[in-house]
Amino acid sequence: MSDFRAVLCTVESDSHMWNLVYLQLLLEENGGDVVNLGACTPVRDVVEKVRSGRPDLLVLSSVNGHGAHGARVLRAALQAASGAAVPSVAGGKLTTAESDNDRVRRELLAAGWTDVFTGDDAVPRFVRFLDAGKARGFDRWHAPEAVVAPWDDVPLVGTEVR
Amino acid sequence: MPGHLDTFVAAQRDAGRLVVQPRMGFGPVATMRDGLERVAALDVPVVGTLTLDSYTRVGDHVTPLERLAAGEEVNGYPLVSHPPDATRELLAGLLGPEFPVQVRHGTALPQAVIRRSVAVGLDATEGGPVSYCLPYSRLPLAVAVDAWAESCRVLAGESEHGHVESFGGCLLGQLCPPSLLVAVAVLEALFFRQHGVRHVSLSYAQGTLAEQDRGAIRALRLLAAEHLADMTWHVVLYTYMGMFPRTPRGATALIADSARLARHAGCERLIVKTVSEAWQIPSVQENVGALLLASDAAQGSDLLAADDDPDARGFQDEVLAEARLLVDTVLDLDADVGRALVRAFERGLLDIPFCLHADNRGATRCAIDDRGALVWSQLGMLPIGGARSRSAGPELRSDQLFAMLDHVASRYDSLQPATPRRGAPR
Ligand code: B12
């Protein structure tokens, strides 16, 4: 018996598969029953699998630098389809520069991703997320706030300095 | 008479010099131009590269320009999306006999890329029906075979000296025993020849152990000489194509070792990685630095004759025997090389370890042995290995897979600062 069912995918332009092979094993070792949709996953295949398979978790992994955009496209497609709401996480190397990581995390969390895993500690953080999700349900997870670095120059809505 | 790439490489070979080449690509024309200019200006034998972005690789020619217009980056040069004149201007004054430029593109359906390349005067490309399909696409292998056959005919028909480099010596970039890499490279060269291409290069990706690599490259040259006598060919080495060291010191040492390997084993050309490999798309500066580093390391090393290299001998014999068996078995399946390749994968006679593509059987597995060499730990249906057991091995755990992927990176990242050797540069 598995603890949860997961769909694993990447974005349409990303052909890297070692990340998918690795994450499938990691998910299985943590109690997941995994459908690995493979490299260059078409958006409609992901939407279809989520609707028909009703997984507990959708995991998107991308490393080619186009993942941030692909994640936006996938999120929009899931939102447009009926019956495709699912807790979902993204991770890997999501743009072509490491310095984008905080900004991308912020954007994807705002767009409705449950959590985003990039950088050195992505895997240990993900394993903690899986543990919590198995215990309480993945939709109950509260992602840690995205870091806003001073140089990111984000307007701080709602703060007022007197 | 061969085209710029072949002429240039042959001249450098005769002068005893290694040609180095980046894997460089940027979305905006201006950045790409800057990169090409700075590579062309180097005082070492160098070939220029247009590495295409991954949207282009999967046939999406709209998104690259949209992303660039939105102020984002893409991971390569969108050759088909930019107007042809923009690419002609990009190359103007640079592309020529002293600075050949090759297109590296990872497309299973290469027609649009090849047509555009030819239209802007680029006759050197990379790929192959197997090596640009199974690692790069989810399209059926048979579809890629037809597309590559057509593209070879276009390249050969519409350019005088069209050159194709097989990516067969790389495949997924890591954890593949060399005999399969050598066999696929030779088979793809035979496929190119069948479809009219006369100028090719055969690739080989640096593995986990230098002795094994030297043996494998010599085996590749022997097998190529047997099969490709009527073609112009050379061997191109790729700096390690798997998970790269994360520290500048480790990455630098690995790049330098790849240059030495290229010289020792008599490779004519080297595709060089950068210190940013483990992290992100490298800058122009990092590319230029890596090319100089590689060229410098190459100058300190000479061709090592097989007879003077007893450590590599066993590997050479083993790779040659296995690769020859693989090539002969595939060629026996059908007189048409493309059809033979499709049938070989159907039957698992060719089978790439860990490859998720639907047309790959996935019954083989690679491991790293006590010597640090890449070996078959599961043979699947491969026509090699004689009476060795074919049963599936124990399940692999994620940490075991990761340790194999990380084998080279962690070895180089844990190197201590080098104590300068006597006579060593610097
Ligand atoms: C092997 C490799 C290839 C092989 C892939 C074969 C295959 N089909 O799988 C080949 C040679 C074919 C290839 C091709 C290309 N590649 Co490549 N490739 C690599 C390389 C060297 C290793 C990747 C790898 O195997 N990693 C092993 C796995 C286990 O690790 P991982 O993918 O990093 O994932 C880890 C974490 O990121 C994390 N993670 C990943 N996803 C997720 C998701 C979640 C939810 C979580 C929690 C964690 C997580 O977990 C993993 C374990 O730590 C990397 C550089 C490197 N890392 O050294 C470049 C790299 C990924 N490639 C890159 C690029 C750009 C390309 C190309 C576009 C060519 C080019 N322009 O250079 C094409 C892509 C084609 C396409 N359509 O996408 C870039 C991406 C740049 C960026 N993001 O800024 C990299 C970083 C190299 C570089 N610096 O330029 N590549």
Side-chain angles (χ1 to χ4, degrees), chain A residues 18-19 22, chain B residues 174-175 240 242-244 354 368 398 400-410:
Chain A
W18 294 102
N19 45 327
Y22 170 80
Chain B
Q174 55 200 336
L175 293 186
Y240 191 64
M243 248 176 75
F244 220 68
F354 303 102
I368 300 173
S398 63
Q400 293 170 321
L401 172 66
F402 192 84
M404 291 200 292
L405 292 167
D406 193 39
H407 179 89
V408 168
S410 65

mmCIF file with all atom_site columns, all heavy atoms in Angstrom, chain A residues 18-19 22, chain B residues 174-175 240 242-244 354 368 398 400-410:
data_model
loop_
_atom_site.group_PDB
_atom_site.id
_atom_site.type_symbol
_atom_site.label_atom_id
_atom_site.label_alt_id
_atom_site.label_comp_id
_atom_site.label_asym_id
_atom_site.label_entity_id
_atom_site.label_seq_id
_atom_site.pdbx_PDB_ins_code
_atom_site.Cartn_x
_atom_site.Cartn_y
_atom_site.Cartn_z
_atom_site.occupancy
_atom_site.B_iso_or_equiv
_atom_site.pdbx_formal_charge
_atom_site.auth_seq_id
_atom_site.auth_comp_id
_atom_site.auth_asym_id
_atom_site.auth_atom_id
_atom_site.pdbx_PDB_model_num
ATOM 1   N N   . TRP A 1 18  ? 17.332 12.642 -16.081 1.00 0.00 ? 18  TRP A N   1
ATOM 2   C CA  . TRP A 1 18  ? 17.954 12.107 -14.865 1.00 0.00 ? 18  TRP A CA  1
ATOM 3   C C   . TRP A 1 18  ? 17.234 12.627 -13.626 1.00 0.00 ? 18  TRP A C   1
ATOM 4   O O   . TRP A 1 18  ? 17.059 11.899 -12.636 1.00 0.00 ? 18  TRP A O   1
ATOM 5   C CB  . TRP A 1 18  ? 19.430 12.492 -14.781 1.00 0.00 ? 18  TRP A CB  1
ATOM 6   C CG  . TRP A 1 18  ? 20.262 11.855 -15.850 1.00 0.00 ? 18  TRP A CG  1
ATOM 7   C CD1 . TRP A 1 18  ? 20.724 12.459 -16.989 1.00 0.00 ? 18  TRP A CD1 1
ATOM 8   C CD2 . TRP A 1 18  ? 20.716 10.496 -15.900 1.00 0.00 ? 18  TRP A CD2 1
ATOM 9   N NE1 . TRP A 1 18  ? 21.440 11.546 -17.732 1.00 0.00 ? 18  TRP A NE1 1
ATOM 10  C CE2 . TRP A 1 18  ? 21.464 10.355 -17.102 1.00 0.00 ? 18  TRP A CE2 1
ATOM 11  C CE3 . TRP A 1 18  ? 20.579 9.396  -15.056 1.00 0.00 ? 18  TRP A CE3 1
ATOM 12  C CZ2 . TRP A 1 18  ? 22.066 9.143  -17.464 1.00 0.00 ? 18  TRP A CZ2 1
ATOM 13  C CZ3 . TRP A 1 18  ? 21.181 8.201  -15.424 1.00 0.00 ? 18  TRP A CZ3 1
ATOM 14  C CH2 . TRP A 1 18  ? 21.906 8.080  -16.608 1.00 0.00 ? 18  TRP A CH2 1
ATOM 15  N N   . ASN A 1 19  ? 16.820 13.887 -13.659 1.00 0.00 ? 19  ASN A N   1
ATOM 16  C CA  . ASN A 1 19  ? 16.056 14.454 -12.550 1.00 0.00 ? 19  ASN A CA  1
ATOM 17  C C   . ASN A 1 19  ? 14.767 13.665 -12.331 1.00 0.00 ? 19  ASN A C   1
ATOM 18  O O   . ASN A 1 19  ? 14.371 13.400 -11.199 1.00 0.00 ? 19  ASN A O   1
ATOM 19  C CB  . ASN A 1 19  ? 15.761 15.939 -12.822 1.00 0.00 ? 19  ASN A CB  1
ATOM 20  C CG  . ASN A 1 19  ? 15.284 16.212 -14.244 1.00 0.00 ? 19  ASN A CG  1
ATOM 21  O OD1 . ASN A 1 19  ? 15.690 15.542 -15.198 1.00 0.00 ? 19  ASN A OD1 1
ATOM 22  N ND2 . ASN A 1 19  ? 14.410 17.184 -14.398 1.00 0.00 ? 19  ASN A ND2 1
ATOM 23  N N   . TYR A 1 22  ? 15.583 10.144 -10.941 1.00 0.00 ? 22  TYR A N   1
ATOM 24  C CA  . TYR A 1 22  ? 15.962 10.291 -9.532  1.00 0.00 ? 22  TYR A CA  1
ATOM 25  C C   . TYR A 1 22  ? 14.742 10.590 -8.651  1.00 0.00 ? 22  TYR A C   1
ATOM 26  O O   . TYR A 1 22  ? 14.540 9.951  -7.618  1.00 0.00 ? 22  TYR A O   1
ATOM 27  C CB  . TYR A 1 22  ? 17.005 11.414 -9.408  1.00 0.00 ? 22  TYR A CB  1
ATOM 28  C CG  . TYR A 1 22  ? 17.290 11.811 -7.989  1.00 0.00 ? 22  TYR A CG  1
ATOM 29  C CD1 . TYR A 1 22  ? 18.151 11.042 -7.198  1.00 0.00 ? 22  TYR A CD1 1
ATOM 30  C CD2 . TYR A 1 22  ? 16.681 12.923 -7.419  1.00 0.00 ? 22  TYR A CD2 1
ATOM 31  C CE1 . TYR A 1 22  ? 18.398 11.390 -5.883  1.00 0.00 ? 22  TYR A CE1 1
ATOM 32  C CE2 . TYR A 1 22  ? 16.929 13.277 -6.102  1.00 0.00 ? 22  TYR A CE2 1
ATOM 33  C CZ  . TYR A 1 22  ? 17.782 12.502 -5.335  1.00 0.00 ? 22  TYR A CZ  1
ATOM 34  O OH  . TYR A 1 22  ? 18.017 12.836 -4.041  1.00 0.00 ? 22  TYR A OH  1
ATOM 35  N N   . GLN B 2 174 ? 25.876 10.579 -19.389 1.00 0.00 ? 174 GLN B N   1
ATOM 36  C CA  . GLN B 2 174 ? 26.567 9.942  -18.262 1.00 0.00 ? 174 GLN B CA  1
ATOM 37  C C   . GLN B 2 174 ? 26.021 8.531  -18.047 1.00 0.00 ? 174 GLN B C   1
ATOM 38  O O   . GLN B 2 174 ? 24.957 8.177  -18.554 1.00 0.00 ? 174 GLN B O   1
ATOM 39  C CB  . GLN B 2 174 ? 26.382 10.758 -16.982 1.00 0.00 ? 174 GLN B CB  1
ATOM 40  C CG  . GLN B 2 174 ? 24.921 11.025 -16.634 1.00 0.00 ? 174 GLN B CG  1
ATOM 41  C CD  . GLN B 2 174 ? 24.712 12.198 -15.689 1.00 0.00 ? 174 GLN B CD  1
ATOM 42  O OE1 . GLN B 2 174 ? 25.601 12.553 -14.938 1.00 0.00 ? 174 GLN B OE1 1
ATOM 43  N NE2 . GLN B 2 174 ? 23.528 12.803 -15.735 1.00 0.00 ? 174 GLN B NE2 1
ATOM 44  N N   . LEU B 2 175 ? 26.772 7.737  -17.296 1.00 0.00 ? 175 LEU B N   1
ATOM 45  C CA  . LEU B 2 175 ? 26.367 6.385  -16.911 1.00 0.00 ? 175 LEU B CA  1
ATOM 46  C C   . LEU B 2 175 ? 25.951 5.511  -18.097 1.00 0.00 ? 175 LEU B C   1
ATOM 47  O O   . LEU B 2 175 ? 24.908 4.850  -18.060 1.00 0.00 ? 175 LEU B O   1
ATOM 48  C CB  . LEU B 2 175 ? 25.243 6.434  -15.866 1.00 0.00 ? 175 LEU B CB  1
ATOM 49  C CG  . LEU B 2 175 ? 25.647 6.996  -14.496 1.00 0.00 ? 175 LEU B CG  1
ATOM 50  C CD1 . LEU B 2 175 ? 24.479 6.862  -13.515 1.00 0.00 ? 175 LEU B CD1 1
ATOM 51  C CD2 . LEU B 2 175 ? 26.869 6.273  -13.940 1.00 0.00 ? 175 LEU B CD2 1
ATOM 52  N N   . TYR B 2 240 ? 33.383 16.175 -19.912 1.00 0.00 ? 240 TYR B N   1
ATOM 53  C CA  . TYR B 2 240 ? 32.388 15.415 -19.163 1.00 0.00 ? 240 TYR B CA  1
ATOM 54  C C   . TYR B 2 240 ? 30.969 15.977 -19.304 1.00 0.00 ? 240 TYR B C   1
ATOM 55  O O   . TYR B 2 240 ? 30.742 17.162 -19.048 1.00 0.00 ? 240 TYR B O   1
ATOM 56  C CB  . TYR B 2 240 ? 32.777 15.363 -17.684 1.00 0.00 ? 240 TYR B CB  1
ATOM 57  C CG  . TYR B 2 240 ? 31.927 14.368 -16.917 1.00 0.00 ? 240 TYR B CG  1
ATOM 58  C CD1 . TYR B 2 240 ? 31.986 13.021 -17.218 1.00 0.00 ? 240 TYR B CD1 1
ATOM 59  C CD2 . TYR B 2 240 ? 31.053 14.792 -15.920 1.00 0.00 ? 240 TYR B CD2 1
ATOM 60  C CE1 . TYR B 2 240 ? 31.194 12.112 -16.541 1.00 0.00 ? 240 TYR B CE1 1
ATOM 61  C CE2 . TYR B 2 240 ? 30.262 13.888 -15.228 1.00 0.00 ? 240 TYR B CE2 1
ATOM 62  C CZ  . TYR B 2 240 ? 30.334 12.557 -15.552 1.00 0.00 ? 240 TYR B CZ  1
ATOM 63  O OH  . TYR B 2 240 ? 29.546 11.655 -14.890 1.00 0.00 ? 240 TYR B OH  1
ATOM 64  N N   . GLY B 2 242 ? 28.116 14.736 -17.807 1.00 0.00 ? 242 GLY B N   1
ATOM 65  C CA  . GLY B 2 242 ? 27.186 14.465 -16.718 1.00 0.00 ? 242 GLY B CA  1
ATOM 66  C C   . GLY B 2 242 ? 27.275 15.537 -15.650 1.00 0.00 ? 242 GLY B C   1
ATOM 67  O O   . GLY B 2 242 ? 27.810 16.624 -15.886 1.00 0.00 ? 242 GLY B O   1
ATOM 68  N N   . MET B 2 243 ? 26.751 15.210 -14.476 1.00 0.00 ? 243 MET B N   1
ATOM 69  C CA  . MET B 2 243 ? 26.739 16.173 -13.367 1.00 0.00 ? 243 MET B CA  1
ATOM 70  C C   . MET B 2 243 ? 28.147 16.705 -13.135 1.00 0.00 ? 243 MET B C   1
ATOM 71  O O   . MET B 2 243 ? 29.071 15.942 -12.890 1.00 0.00 ? 243 MET B O   1
ATOM 72  C CB  . MET B 2 243 ? 26.229 15.485 -12.104 1.00 0.00 ? 243 MET B CB  1
ATOM 73  C CG  . MET B 2 243 ? 24.894 15.991 -11.664 1.00 0.00 ? 243 MET B CG  1
ATOM 74  S SD  . MET B 2 243 ? 24.306 15.063 -10.247 1.00 0.00 ? 243 MET B SD  1
ATOM 75  C CE  . MET B 2 243 ? 25.323 15.733 -8.964  1.00 0.00 ? 243 MET B CE  1
ATOM 76  N N   . PHE B 2 244 ? 28.276 17.993 -13.159 1.00 0.00 ? 244 PHE B N   1
ATOM 77  C CA  . PHE B 2 244 ? 29.595 18.622 -13.189 1.00 0.00 ? 244 PHE B CA  1
ATOM 78  C C   . PHE B 2 244 ? 30.030 19.036 -11.792 1.00 0.00 ? 244 PHE B C   1
ATOM 79  O O   . PHE B 2 244 ? 29.196 19.318 -10.930 1.00 0.00 ? 244 PHE B O   1
ATOM 80  C CB  . PHE B 2 244 ? 29.537 19.853 -14.103 1.00 0.00 ? 244 PHE B CB  1
ATOM 81  C CG  . PHE B 2 244 ? 30.768 20.016 -14.952 1.00 0.00 ? 244 PHE B CG  1
ATOM 82  C CD1 . PHE B 2 244 ? 31.051 19.111 -15.960 1.00 0.00 ? 244 PHE B CD1 1
ATOM 83  C CD2 . PHE B 2 244 ? 31.640 21.075 -14.741 1.00 0.00 ? 244 PHE B CD2 1
ATOM 84  C CE1 . PHE B 2 244 ? 32.191 19.256 -16.741 1.00 0.00 ? 244 PHE B CE1 1
ATOM 85  C CE2 . PHE B 2 244 ? 32.776 21.225 -15.524 1.00 0.00 ? 244 PHE B CE2 1
ATOM 86  C CZ  . PHE B 2 244 ? 33.053 20.318 -16.527 1.00 0.00 ? 244 PHE B CZ  1
ATOM 87  N N   . PHE B 2 354 ? 18.873 3.788  -18.389 1.00 0.00 ? 354 PHE B N   1
ATOM 88  C CA  . PHE B 2 354 ? 18.132 4.845  -17.695 1.00 0.00 ? 354 PHE B CA  1
ATOM 89  C C   . PHE B 2 354 ? 17.321 5.760  -18.613 1.00 0.00 ? 354 PHE B C   1
ATOM 90  O O   . PHE B 2 354 ? 16.745 6.738  -18.149 1.00 0.00 ? 354 PHE B O   1
ATOM 91  C CB  . PHE B 2 354 ? 19.060 5.716  -16.834 1.00 0.00 ? 354 PHE B CB  1
ATOM 92  C CG  . PHE B 2 354 ? 19.844 4.932  -15.822 1.00 0.00 ? 354 PHE B CG  1
ATOM 93  C CD1 . PHE B 2 354 ? 21.181 4.630  -16.031 1.00 0.00 ? 354 PHE B CD1 1
ATOM 94  C CD2 . PHE B 2 354 ? 19.230 4.481  -14.658 1.00 0.00 ? 354 PHE B CD2 1
ATOM 95  C CE1 . PHE B 2 354 ? 21.917 3.900  -15.097 1.00 0.00 ? 354 PHE B CE1 1
ATOM 96  C CE2 . PHE B 2 354 ? 19.949 3.749  -13.714 1.00 0.00 ? 354 PHE B CE2 1
ATOM 97  C CZ  . PHE B 2 354 ? 21.299 3.460  -13.933 1.00 0.00 ? 354 PHE B CZ  1
ATOM 98  N N   . ILE B 2 368 ? 29.412 1.752  -11.876 1.00 0.00 ? 368 ILE B N   1
ATOM 99  C CA  . ILE B 2 368 ? 30.820 2.152  -11.840 1.00 0.00 ? 368 ILE B CA  1
ATOM 100 C C   . ILE B 2 368 ? 31.543 1.121  -10.975 1.00 0.00 ? 368 ILE B C   1
ATOM 101 O O   . ILE B 2 368 ? 31.155 0.898  -9.829  1.00 0.00 ? 368 ILE B O   1
ATOM 102 C CB  . ILE B 2 368 ? 30.962 3.566  -11.246 1.00 0.00 ? 368 ILE B CB  1
ATOM 103 C CG1 . ILE B 2 368 ? 30.177 4.575  -12.101 1.00 0.00 ? 368 ILE B CG1 1
ATOM 104 C CG2 . ILE B 2 368 ? 32.438 3.967  -11.166 1.00 0.00 ? 368 ILE B CG2 1
ATOM 105 C CD1 . ILE B 2 368 ? 30.099 5.967  -11.524 1.00 0.00 ? 368 ILE B CD1 1
ATOM 106 N N   . SER B 2 398 ? 17.503 5.769  -4.642  1.00 0.00 ? 398 SER B N   1
ATOM 107 C CA  . SER B 2 398 ? 17.812 7.110  -5.139  1.00 0.00 ? 398 SER B CA  1
ATOM 108 C C   . SER B 2 398 ? 19.203 7.562  -4.708  1.00 0.00 ? 398 SER B C   1
ATOM 109 O O   . SER B 2 398 ? 19.926 8.190  -5.475  1.00 0.00 ? 398 SER B O   1
ATOM 110 C CB  . SER B 2 398 ? 16.757 8.115  -4.656  1.00 0.00 ? 398 SER B CB  1
ATOM 111 O OG  . SER B 2 398 ? 16.775 8.214  -3.245  1.00 0.00 ? 398 SER B OG  1
ATOM 112 N N   . GLN B 2 400 ? 21.779 5.658  -4.176  1.00 0.00 ? 400 GLN B N   1
ATOM 113 C CA  . GLN B 2 400 ? 22.787 4.933  -4.960  1.00 0.00 ? 400 GLN B CA  1
ATOM 114 C C   . GLN B 2 400 ? 22.914 5.530  -6.362  1.00 0.00 ? 400 GLN B C   1
ATOM 115 O O   . GLN B 2 400 ? 24.023 5.700  -6.883  1.00 0.00 ? 400 GLN B O   1
ATOM 116 C CB  . GLN B 2 400 ? 22.401 3.456  -5.065  1.00 0.00 ? 400 GLN B CB  1
ATOM 117 C CG  . GLN B 2 400 ? 22.451 2.728  -3.730  1.00 0.00 ? 400 GLN B CG  1
ATOM 118 C CD  . GLN B 2 400 ? 21.837 1.341  -3.828  1.00 0.00 ? 400 GLN B CD  1
ATOM 119 O OE1 . GLN B 2 400 ? 20.822 1.148  -4.504  1.00 0.00 ? 400 GLN B OE1 1
ATOM 120 N NE2 . GLN B 2 400 ? 22.442 0.376  -3.160  1.00 0.00 ? 400 GLN B NE2 1
ATOM 121 N N   . LEU B 2 401 ? 21.767 5.845  -6.969  1.00 0.00 ? 401 LEU B N   1
ATOM 122 C CA  . LEU B 2 401 ? 21.805 6.486  -8.283  1.00 0.00 ? 401 LEU B CA  1
ATOM 123 C C   . LEU B 2 401 ? 22.550 7.807  -8.181  1.00 0.00 ? 401 LEU B C   1
ATOM 124 O O   . LEU B 2 401 ? 23.421 8.123  -8.994  1.00 0.00 ? 401 LEU B O   1
ATOM 125 C CB  . LEU B 2 401 ? 20.379 6.717  -8.814  1.00 0.00 ? 401 LEU B CB  1
ATOM 126 C CG  . LEU B 2 401 ? 20.304 7.543  -10.099 1.00 0.00 ? 401 LEU B CG  1
ATOM 127 C CD1 . LEU B 2 401 ? 20.946 6.800  -11.274 1.00 0.00 ? 401 LEU B CD1 1
ATOM 128 C CD2 . LEU B 2 401 ? 18.858 7.911  -10.456 1.00 0.00 ? 401 LEU B CD2 1
ATOM 129 N N   . PHE B 2 402 ? 22.210 8.574  -7.152  1.00 0.00 ? 402 PHE B N   1
ATOM 130 C CA  . PHE B 2 402 ? 22.829 9.890  -7.021  1.00 0.00 ? 402 PHE B CA  1
ATOM 131 C C   . PHE B 2 402 ? 24.342 9.762  -6.832  1.00 0.00 ? 402 PHE B C   1
ATOM 132 O O   . PHE B 2 402 ? 25.111 10.540 -7.404  1.00 0.00 ? 402 PHE B O   1
ATOM 133 C CB  . PHE B 2 402 ? 22.202 10.691 -5.878  1.00 0.00 ? 402 PHE B CB  1
ATOM 134 C CG  . PHE B 2 402 ? 22.608 12.135 -5.912  1.00 0.00 ? 402 PHE B CG  1
ATOM 135 C CD1 . PHE B 2 402 ? 21.935 13.034 -6.726  1.00 0.00 ? 402 PHE B CD1 1
ATOM 136 C CD2 . PHE B 2 402 ? 23.691 12.579 -5.169  1.00 0.00 ? 402 PHE B CD2 1
ATOM 137 C CE1 . PHE B 2 402 ? 22.327 14.362 -6.801  1.00 0.00 ? 402 PHE B CE1 1
ATOM 138 C CE2 . PHE B 2 402 ? 24.095 13.913 -5.236  1.00 0.00 ? 402 PHE B CE2 1
ATOM 139 C CZ  . PHE B 2 402 ? 23.413 14.805 -6.048  1.00 0.00 ? 402 PHE B CZ  1
ATOM 140 N N   . ALA B 2 403 ? 24.759 8.772  -6.055  1.00 0.00 ? 403 ALA B N   1
ATOM 141 C CA  . ALA B 2 403 ? 26.200 8.595  -5.836  1.00 0.00 ? 403 ALA B CA  1
ATOM 142 C C   . ALA B 2 403 ? 26.919 8.296  -7.156  1.00 0.00 ? 403 ALA B C   1
ATOM 143 O O   . ALA B 2 403 ? 28.028 8.787  -7.387  1.00 0.00 ? 403 ALA B O   1
ATOM 144 C CB  . ALA B 2 403 ? 26.436 7.463  -4.835  1.00 0.00 ? 403 ALA B CB  1
ATOM 145 N N   . MET B 2 404 ? 26.274 7.529  -8.044  1.00 0.00 ? 404 MET B N   1
ATOM 146 C CA  . MET B 2 404 ? 26.903 7.252  -9.343  1.00 0.00 ? 404 MET B CA  1
ATOM 147 C C   . MET B 2 404 ? 26.932 8.514  -10.202 1.00 0.00 ? 404 MET B C   1
ATOM 148 O O   . MET B 2 404 ? 27.922 8.805  -10.870 1.00 0.00 ? 404 MET B O   1
ATOM 149 C CB  . MET B 2 404 ? 26.157 6.132  -10.068 1.00 0.00 ? 404 MET B CB  1
ATOM 150 C CG  . MET B 2 404 ? 26.307 4.771  -9.403  1.00 0.00 ? 404 MET B CG  1
ATOM 151 S SD  . MET B 2 404 ? 25.944 3.426  -10.556 1.00 0.00 ? 404 MET B SD  1
ATOM 152 C CE  . MET B 2 404 ? 24.192 3.636  -10.836 1.00 0.00 ? 404 MET B CE  1
ATOM 153 N N   . LEU B 2 405 ? 25.821 9.256  -10.193 1.00 0.00 ? 405 LEU B N   1
ATOM 154 C CA  . LEU B 2 405 ? 25.778 10.494 -10.982 1.00 0.00 ? 405 LEU B CA  1
ATOM 155 C C   . LEU B 2 405 ? 26.838 11.479 -10.489 1.00 0.00 ? 405 LEU B C   1
ATOM 156 O O   . LEU B 2 405 ? 27.424 12.234 -11.251 1.00 0.00 ? 405 LEU B O   1
ATOM 157 C CB  . LEU B 2 405 ? 24.386 11.138 -10.876 1.00 0.00 ? 405 LEU B CB  1
ATOM 158 C CG  . LEU B 2 405 ? 23.235 10.388 -11.544 1.00 0.00 ? 405 LEU B CG  1
ATOM 159 C CD1 . LEU B 2 405 ? 21.890 10.956 -11.104 1.00 0.00 ? 405 LEU B CD1 1
ATOM 160 C CD2 . LEU B 2 405 ? 23.358 10.474 -13.067 1.00 0.00 ? 405 LEU B CD2 1
ATOM 161 N N   . ASP B 2 406 ? 27.061 11.447 -9.176  1.00 0.00 ? 406 ASP B N   1
ATOM 162 C CA  . ASP B 2 406 ? 27.932 12.423 -8.517  1.00 0.00 ? 406 ASP B CA  1
ATOM 163 C C   . ASP B 2 406 ? 29.399 11.967 -8.464  1.00 0.00 ? 406 ASP B C   1
ATOM 164 O O   . ASP B 2 406 ? 30.259 12.700 -7.989  1.00 0.00 ? 406 ASP B O   1
ATOM 165 C CB  . ASP B 2 406 ? 27.390 12.630 -7.087  1.00 0.00 ? 406 ASP B CB  1
ATOM 166 C CG  . ASP B 2 406 ? 28.002 13.828 -6.391  1.00 0.00 ? 406 ASP B CG  1
ATOM 167 O OD1 . ASP B 2 406 ? 28.199 14.855 -7.065  1.00 0.00 ? 406 ASP B OD1 1
ATOM 168 O OD2 . ASP B 2 406 ? 28.288 13.729 -5.186  1.00 0.00 ? 406 ASP B OD2 1
ATOM 169 N N   . HIS B 2 407 ? 29.667 10.759 -8.963  1.00 0.00 ? 407 HIS B N   1
ATOM 170 C CA  . HIS B 2 407 ? 31.001 10.151 -8.826  1.00 0.00 ? 407 HIS B CA  1
ATOM 171 C C   . HIS B 2 407 ? 32.126 11.085 -9.291  1.00 0.00 ? 407 HIS B C   1
ATOM 172 O O   . HIS B 2 407 ? 33.086 11.344 -8.561  1.00 0.00 ? 407 HIS B O   1
ATOM 173 C CB  . HIS B 2 407 ? 31.015 8.848  -9.633  1.00 0.00 ? 407 HIS B CB  1
ATOM 174 C CG  . HIS B 2 407 ? 32.319 8.116  -9.621  1.00 0.00 ? 407 HIS B CG  1
ATOM 175 N ND1 . HIS B 2 407 ? 32.635 7.185  -8.657  1.00 0.00 ? 407 HIS B ND1 1
ATOM 176 C CD2 . HIS B 2 407 ? 33.387 8.175  -10.450 1.00 0.00 ? 407 HIS B CD2 1
ATOM 177 C CE1 . HIS B 2 407 ? 33.840 6.706  -8.896  1.00 0.00 ? 407 HIS B CE1 1
ATOM 178 N NE2 . HIS B 2 407 ? 34.320 7.288  -9.977  1.00 0.00 ? 407 HIS B NE2 1
ATOM 179 N N   . VAL B 2 408 ? 31.976 11.606 -10.503 1.00 0.00 ? 408 VAL B N   1
ATOM 180 C CA  . VAL B 2 408 ? 33.029 12.463 -11.065 1.00 0.00 ? 408 VAL B CA  1
ATOM 181 C C   . VAL B 2 408 ? 33.055 13.807 -10.347 1.00 0.00 ? 408 VAL B C   1
ATOM 182 O O   . VAL B 2 408 ? 34.119 14.299 -9.946  1.00 0.00 ? 408 VAL B O   1
ATOM 183 C CB  . VAL B 2 408 ? 32.801 12.651 -12.584 1.00 0.00 ? 408 VAL B CB  1
ATOM 184 C CG1 . VAL B 2 408 ? 33.689 13.754 -13.141 1.00 0.00 ? 408 VAL B CG1 1
ATOM 185 C CG2 . VAL B 2 408 ? 33.056 11.336 -13.311 1.00 0.00 ? 408 VAL B CG2 1
ATOM 186 N N   . ALA B 2 409 ? 31.879 14.393 -10.160 1.00 0.00 ? 409 ALA B N   1
ATOM 187 C CA  . ALA B 2 409 ? 31.815 15.723 -9.535  1.00 0.00 ? 409 ALA B CA  1
ATOM 188 C C   . ALA B 2 409 ? 32.440 15.702 -8.147  1.00 0.00 ? 409 ALA B C   1
ATOM 189 O O   . ALA B 2 409 ? 33.259 16.564 -7.808  1.00 0.00 ? 409 ALA B O   1
ATOM 190 C CB  . ALA B 2 409 ? 30.359 16.189 -9.470  1.00 0.00 ? 409 ALA B CB  1
ATOM 191 N N   . SER B 2 410 ? 32.089 14.705 -7.346  1.00 0.00 ? 410 SER B N   1
ATOM 192 C CA  . SER B 2 410 ? 32.594 14.722 -5.971  1.00 0.00 ? 410 SER B CA  1
ATOM 193 C C   . SER B 2 410 ? 34.093 14.442 -5.944  1.00 0.00 ? 410 SER B C   1
ATOM 194 O O   . SER B 2 410 ? 34.815 14.983 -5.116  1.00 0.00 ? 410 SER B O   1
ATOM 195 C CB  . SER B 2 410 ? 31.823 13.735 -5.097  1.00 0.00 ? 410 SER B CB  1
ATOM 196 O OG  . SER B 2 410 ? 32.054 12.437 -5.529  1.00 0.00 ? 410 SER B OG  1
#
